[in-house]
Amino acid sequence: MSGRVLELRVHGVSNTPPGQTLGLPPEPGGDPPQPRLVAGGEVTGFYRAPGGGSDDPLVVEAYSWGQLTSGGRTARDVERALWTLLLPFTLANVALHARPGIPADPDQERWASRSGITAWLIRVFCLSLTSTLVVAVTGIGVDLIGWQCVDDACLGRIPGPWEFLAHGWWSEGAHALAVGLLVPLGLLAVLGMVAWRTYQYEAEMPADPATSAYLRPPVEAPTDASPPVAQPPQEPPPAPEPPPEDPTNPLQDPTFWLGEGQLRRGAVLHLCTGTVVAVAVPLGTVLAMDPPRGVRAVVAWPTVAVCAAVLVIAVVGLGRPYLTRRAGDTPLGPWSLAVAVLAALAVAGTVTLLLLPAGPAGTPLRELRPPPGCARDSALPGCGADRSLPGYDWIIAWLATGQLLLLIAIGAVARSGRRALAAPGAAGLLLTASVIWMEGWLPGTSPVSWAPPVWVLAVPAIALAAVGLVLPRTRAAVDVQPLAPHTDLAWGGRGPAVIAGFGWLLCIANCAGLIYWVTDRLDGAATPTGRSAIVPPTPVLWAGLAFAAALLALVITLLRAGLLFHRLRRREYAELVPPGHTLSLHELRRCRDVSAYRALHRLVGEHAIRLTGCYAVAAAALITLGCAAALSHARPHPAAATDGSAVLKAVSDVGDSMLSWLPVLVATIGALVYRNDTVRRTVGVVWDVGTFWPRTAHPLAPPSYSERAVPELQTRIAGLLALNRHDPRRMDGIILSGHSQGTVICAAVILQLPARWRRRIWYFSYGCQLTRLYGRVFPAYFGPDRLPTVTEALTNPPGRTGWTNFWRDTDPLGWPVNAGERDLAVRDPEALHPSGGEVADPPIRSHSGYPDAAEFHYERARVARLLRRAVPSQRRGVG
């Protein structure tokens, strides 16, 4: 009896429906037949065509995972749309996996190594990204509401009963700041609940049917009254699996997709650090403006010590194995509980200090706040001055500058190793020491009057740090790709910094836009950049100008991409239409269409990463100037702008207004991802690529669908191959067929499977970007020295490699892999004109429809014969 072969198809992004994945033709009524669910559930399931028999030699099955991300219209669409606001956390998390030189065995990674230092810097950056969001929301609650809103007219514009803050005991001293802390603490509580709910993905564990398939139920001893029951013939258990060889790819780590315990500990650390950062904003203001004495000092200084202890534990703990090593469902541990207790003590101490009566020393806080009545009449005395929370602008400016230096350090170390850390480290130390010296913060010193402003020192310090980015690459980072040109490491080995930097820019834009939007609502009819009662932080005003410049740079980059596309299209058209051709007008028109697809294929595969790098350079220059401007503590224009400054004010207002609607736009796009197929196929690409990787750097990022998809595919494949030979569901061979992003999922599944199952698997990849995208951006997993691991895993002892890759020159994401597999070029379109009685032109399928191609059918038939040939014939009994 010939063996049965299953083709298990895994779709790519945009949540292709199971019926479309299976290639079911539409019925006469127009609707395709509904596939039947054979395993799984409503969210993720395995589907087959209706009417299939148990004796079909070749069975096609589709695995649908798209509802884990940009899935269909479900009740959780609103919640998932809000996940798009956490896209900065996703990009920062992806940066950890873009490091070159990650050891194949995670136990071999040392903190002092290049990859270890880069990982620690990225995790510290992720912690600062959480702090950025917390600082922004703390500014809304503490600065805008608790500090600057001092009368009923302003507080009445806030939903809820906030008017009590303008009267009686609550209007005295810093009492209102304690109420303002409810805003950031509430945000952290929501983030914690969302993160806790999403751990169900990481809780998935692959099941090994090799043992359960041979467990026998207990059989009672036969008696005289009960005749013996005939048992079906049983197969002997398989031979024990040989000990695993040393891993050659990090994806072979059995705990790579099992990080529930690590995520819980990381989330506790991020939430507690965010809590301490939130309380540090009002705590620092009160300590600076009203130095504590007596009872206030007894409360204040221990609270400061507790806050410092939490920050030190967090920064040190990010490099410890209990936060860097994934080990499944493990408990929180004493360090997590200690940090939680310390964070609670910090909140209690800060709230107590804010509610105590004002001290006798220092500047009275009521003199620093705006006078009542400014919300009704901004012309009152004292209403034109900047009465924002003292020190808040300073916190934002220095946090952004520190993050920029941290990004430079990440890119430098990832590219050139530990030696590149000297330049950004020296720049940070020199800048910090200069500020301490100029401000007279050293004991026995006074401020230096002749010293230059801080922003003048910031630009050369950042330029000094950037020297580390241009050092020669280390040997481990120089990987010669087999498909030259256009296949070198992305961005010269600086990939982690580029990806994390884009997440940082998006986070800053969202936070600045949120602050400006709230300020605009509290100001009523006044413009926040003009004479208004509520003043936004100065860095927010500069962010509007930077955002407008960033949009201009983006337009220039897109124009450059358009020119490249036009040039490539002309070249492709010239190749399709040689001189002296005899093509008809119809065929010439078709050649123009085909040349457009081929040009897009080359633009994405050869120039997209370089264009992204050019935009990253422009963004880095803008953010450097923005940090220097924020450190100057000067507004980009006067409140009453005239002449040339009026133009600057208009540009700033437009930029700030666009920023204020950016979070709404991001959330709207996130909602359309689940409602609109076109948006799902475009924006969903970025989302599905980002959420493929596990949350090993930022635990508050949206969940990774692969944490569930990879274990489910492992369980399904092993379960069908391990069934008894007499079971009609058994498969003797499986063609694991992945499209687009599905090729990455399938590669991860193959590297997780034991050798006894891989021997009976053949891998089909089509629309595959393992070399041109993943191999360049994630070289530690799919680089030229790591991708052949997949080929080796699918190579049987006779030397047969079970991997076929299909690609088209009209597919922008489908390229040859050249890692030892069999590459097959698929013709697209099949012809330039109708044939065989057809009246419509053969379609240009580009990135879709690979299973419908003739090359795919021929190769599948060949592979099915090979898989069946490996199945021994069943012996017949002699009687």
Side-chain angles (χ1 to χ4, degrees):
M1 181 182 67
S2 299
R4 302 178 67 208
V5 175
L6 172 72
E7 182 195 352
L8 180 55
R9 295 180 181 176
V10 183
H11 65 79
V13 300
S14 78
N15 189 29
T16 306
Q20 185 176 342
T21 304
L22 293 171
L24 300 181
E27 294 179 343
D31 296 330
Q34 293 298 320
R36 56 189 177 93
L37 180 68
V38 294
E42 296 180 356
V43 178
T44 59
F46 296 83
Y47 296 85
R48 294 183 185 178
S54 60
D55 55 348
D56 294 340
L58 180 62
V59 181
V60 180
E61 185 172 291
Y63 174 60
S64 177
W65 56 267
Q67 292 200 52
L68 294 174
T69 54
S70 55
R73 300 165 177 84
T74 65
R76 299 184 61 189
D77 285 357
V78 176
E79 177 186 343
R80 290 171 175 170
L82 296 178
W83 284 354
T84 56
L85 298 176
L86 302 179
L87 182 58
F89 295 169
T90 300
L91 294 176
N93 181 74
V94 170
L96 183 74
H97 302 280
R99 294 172 294 147
I102 301 176
D105 186 354
D107 292 329
Q108 300 299 322
E109 185 173 58
R110 299 294 179 261
W111 182 89
S113 64
R114 181 184 65 159
S115 62
I117 294 178
T118 308
W120 179 72
L121 291 174
I122 292 174
R123 288 189 170 96
V124 172
F125 175 79
C126 290
L127 196 66
S128 73
L129 210 61
T130 302
S131 302
T132 300
L133 178 60
V134 172
V135 167
V137 179
T138 303
I140 294 174
V142 174
D143 179 20
L144 301 183
I145 297 176
W147 183 264
Q148 298 193 50
C149 273
V150 295
D151 51 24
D152 292 338
C154 177
L155 294 169
R157 300 187 180 113
I158 308 172
W162 296 86
E163 289 82 355
F164 71 93
L165 295 177
H167 304 284
W169 182 81
W170 288 106
S171 63
E172 300 174 359
H175 300 165
L177 303 185
V179 180
L181 279 176
L182 293 176
V183 179
L185 296 181
L187 172 69
L188 290 171
V190 171
L191 289 177
M193 288 188 295
V194 171
W196 213 263
R197 288 185 58 186
T198 58
Y199 288 146
Q200 58 182 324
Y201 290 0
E202 285 77 5
E204 285 290 326
M205 301 285 288
D208 187 2
T211 55
S212 60
Y214 294 96
L215 294 178
R216 302 290 175 254
V219 180
E220 297 181 0
T223 62
D224 296 338
S226 58
V229 179
Q231 298 290 335
Q234 303 292 345
E235 294 183 354
E241 186 76 14
E245 300 179 355
D246 293 337
T248 56
N249 193 308
L251 289 174
Q252 294 173 302
D253 178 17
T255 63
F256 189 86
W257 304 106
L258 309 175
E260 182 182 6
Q262 181 203 41
L263 283 172
R264 294 182 188 275
R265 293 188 294 273
V268 169
L269 197 65
H270 274 249
L271 294 174
C272 292
T273 302
T275 300
V276 168
V277 170
V279 301
V281 173
L283 179 63
T285 298
V286 171
L287 292 180
M289 298 295 105
D290 188 12
R293 294 182 180 179
V295 177
R296 292 169 55 84
V298 173
V299 176
W301 298 120
T303 303
V304 172
V306 167
C307 293
V310 172
L311 295 179
V312 170
I313 292 175
V315 173
V316 174
L318 291 175
R320 304 304 301 166
Y322 79 96
L323 277 178
T324 61
R325 190 69 175 92
R326 300 169 71 81
D329 185 10
T330 51
L332 289 178
W335 283 107
S336 299
L337 299 178
V339 169
V341 172
L342 291 176
L345 292 176
V347 174
T350 302
V351 172
T352 302
L353 180 66
L354 296 177
L355 296 182
L356 286 174
T363 305
L365 297 181
R366 63 178 178 272
E367 296 181 6
L368 301 174
R369 301 180 68 185
C374 292
R376 294 187 179 91
D377 185 6
S378 59
L380 293 176
C383 292
D386 185 356
R387 298 298 184 95
S388 59
L389 185 69
Y392 184 62
D393 292 356
W394 180 86
I395 294 174
I396 295 178
W398 279 105
L399 177 61
T401 304
Q403 288 174 321
L404 179 58
L405 292 175
L406 191 58
L407 281 173
I408 294 175
I410 291 171
V413 177
R415 172 183 169 85
S416 304
R418 293 176 296 180
R419 60 178 179 173
L421 192 60
L429 291 176
L430 289 175
L431 184 60
T432 304
S434 301
V435 172
I436 293 176
W437 173 66
M438 290 188 305
E439 296 294 336
W441 290 342
L442 293 175
T445 60
S446 58
V448 181
S449 58
W450 52 267
V454 177
W455 67 270
V456 175
L457 301 176
V459 175
I462 295 173
L464 172 62
V467 172
L469 294 173
V470 296
L471 294 177
R473 279 191 282 178
T474 56
R475 180 175 300 178
V478 181
D479 294 325
V480 180
Q481 297 276 356
L483 286 176
H486 309 298
T487 54
D488 193 11
L489 281 181
W491 309 300
R494 310 176 190 93
V498 174
I499 297 173
F502 280 122
W504 178 51
L505 293 179
L506 183 57
C507 182
I508 290 178
N510 286 337
C511 293
L514 182 62
I515 293 177
Y516 189 89
W517 186 86
V518 174
T519 305
D520 194 25
R521 298 305 176 271
L522 296 178
D523 275 326
T527 303
T529 57
R531 297 181 61 88
S532 57
I534 307 300
V535 181
T538 302
V540 172
L541 303 180
W542 286 105
L545 286 175
F547 186 70
L551 288 180
L552 178 61
L554 179 61
V555 171
I556 295 175
T557 304
L558 293 177
L559 289 176
R560 172 62 176 163
L563 292 176
L564 281 173
F565 175 78
H566 178 68
R567 186 183 307 168
L568 293 172
R569 183 176 181 180
R570 292 181 59 182
R571 293 178 182 175
E572 294 296 334
Y573 183 76
E575 293 182 4
L576 290 172
V577 184
H581 63 85
T582 58
L583 299 176
S584 65
L585 293 179
H586 178 86
E587 291 172 332
L588 291 176
R589 178 184 61 81
R590 290 278 286 168
C591 286
R592 286 194 295 270
D593 295 339
V594 174
S595 64
Y597 282 94
R598 290 188 177 183
L600 184 61
H601 169 77
R602 294 188 58 187
L603 179 67
V604 174
E606 300 175 0
H607 302 282
I609 289 181
R610 181 174 57 84
L611 290 172
T612 304
C614 293
Y615 182 72
V617 172
L622 285 175
I623 203 64
T624 300
L625 296 177
C627 289
L631 289 172
S632 68
H633 301 293
R635 295 168 62 98
H637 52 77
T642 57
D643 300 332
S645 61
V647 177
L648 196 63
K649 180 180 183 300
V651 175
S652 178
D653 288 343
V654 171
D656 284 321
S657 298
M658 289 189 295
L659 275 178
S660 65
W661 289 103
L662 182 63
V664 179
L665 176 63
V666 172
T668 302
I669 293 176
L672 290 177
V673 167
Y674 306 99
R675 297 287 178 177
N676 186 280
D677 293 338
T678 302
V679 177
R680 188 181 303 148
R681 292 189 182 96
T682 52
V683 181
V685 173
V686 178
W687 188 253
D688 288 351
V689 170
T691 54
F692 166 79
W693 299 102
R695 295 181 284 183
T696 52
H698 205 304
L700 303 182
S704 166
Y705 59 86
S706 299
E707 300 272 11
R708 180 168 177 177
V710 171
E712 285 189 350
L713 282 168
Q714 287 180 252
T715 304
R716 180 64 175 169
I717 292 172
L720 292 177
L721 294 177
L723 288 173
N724 189 287
R725 187 171 300 277
H726 302 277
D727 195 312
R729 299 168 298 172
R730 172 189 168 98
M731 294 294 167
D732 294 284
I734 290 181
I735 301 175
L736 190 56
S737 179
H739 173 238
S740 188
Q741 184 67 16
T743 63
V744 186
I745 299 175
C746 291
V749 172
I750 290 170
L751 293 178
Q752 289 283 317
L753 285 172
R756 63 179 179 275
W757 309 130
R758 295 199 306 264
R759 286 192 291 266
R760 296 157 63 183
I761 291 177
W762 199 288
Y763 178 28
F764 276 7
S765 58
Y766 40 95
C768 176
Q769 57 266 32
L770 286 177
T771 299
R772 291 299 175 106
L773 175 60
Y774 277 86
R776 301 183 65 185
V777 181
F778 308 105
Y781 303 93
F782 303 104
D785 57 334
R786 297 293 173 86
L787 189 57
T789 306
V790 181
T791 308
E792 295 170 2
L794 294 171
T795 301
N796 292 329
R800 185 188 68 190
T801 300
W803 183 2
T804 305
N805 178 65
F806 304 87
W807 67 281
R808 297 187 180 114
D809 57 7
T810 57
D811 184 354
L813 298 177
W815 288 83
V817 175
N818 196 12
E821 83 297 342
R822 171 181 165 89
D823 271 318
L824 283 182
V826 178
R827 186 176 181 179
D828 187 46
E830 297 177 356
L832 295 177
H833 49 75
S835 60
E838 181 59 71
V839 295
D841 287 323
I844 304 175
R845 299 188 181 274
S846 184
H847 191 55
S848 61
Y850 276 93
D852 297 330
E855 295 88 346
F856 189 93
H857 285 279
Y858 294 150
E859 180 68 8
R860 186 176 64 176
R862 184 185 75 87
V863 169
R865 288 194 301 270
L866 291 175
L867 291 176
R868 293 193 193 100
R869 194 178 303 166
V871 180
S873 301
Q874 188 175 11
R875 295 184 179 181
R876 298 187 179 184
V878 180

